Amino acid sequence: MDNEKIVKLEEPIITSYNAYAHLLALMQTWYGGTEAFQNWFVNQYLILKGFYHDLGTSFLFDDPFNENRMLNRFVDSMILPREFIIRGKIDILDFLKEAITKGYAVNLWLEQYYIPQNKRCFQKESGIHDPLIYGYNKEGFLLADFYDGKKYSLDNIVNFECIRNGFYCNDADDLEASQNINNTLIVCAKPRSFMEYEYDPDKLKY
């Protein structure tokens, strides 16, 4: 296996939540480049779906709090329960490297107590979050997430042992949040090489 492999991402046009940012970071790598994507985004993305709440209006493909959010027609997705890795005794580092080598970025939940980039939690308190792991090199894995100044960034390298500890964290009884990681999902996703979208005005009527 190569010593370095990276799934191409672009700085996403929306970074409010991981639900938006991860998906758009992948999608912006196709559709004719950044300018073409922005045109498509304005003319298509913003009218695909909207929902209203007290804080305003949000537009997205799927509910951001739905863990299947990356499973849509614009990406090839593979969704696995975390237990698949645990019960199958699959090494998470080998799994991530193989997925990335095949062109998939991987969205999974990690205990932030073990992630140095998370200044609030690292070796201080328990908390789980779902970065997008999109590459690796000799130093570790490349993560897209909200770390530096709480801004979404693609420039996070986390060493392999920290990723391993963050994934297998539920063995640590004193980390409360990590107990919630058991039922989470692992989403492997990459942009489709070709996509047709049928515009149906009737579906936009209220």
Side-chain angles (χ1 to χ4, degrees), residues 7-10 12 17-30 45 49 60-80 103-109 130-134 144 152 154 185-192 195:
V7 176
K8 185 179 179 182
L9 298 184
E10 297 286 349
Y17 294 97
N18 278 354
Y20 305 91
H22 291 342
L23 181 61
L24 291 173
L26 283 168
M27 291 181 60
Q28 286 176 218
T29 64
W30 63 275
Y45 179 92
K49 181 179 178 182
L60 64 161
F61 292 105
D62 294 292
D63 185 335
F65 304 108
N66 177 350
E67 290 192 284
N68 293 332
R69 60 182 174 268
M70 295 183 73
L71 184 62
N72 62 66
R73 292 181 297 168
F74 292 86
V75 292
D76 286 321
S77 298
M78 175 177 62
I79 295 183
L80 300 170
Y104 289 92
V106 183
N107 180 215
L108 81 169
W109 292 82
D130 62 327
L132 186 67
I133 300 178
Y134 68 95
Y152 189 83
L154 308 181
L185 300 174
I186 299 172
V187 181
C188 303
K190 63 181 177 180
R192 292 186 184 277
M195 177 62 207

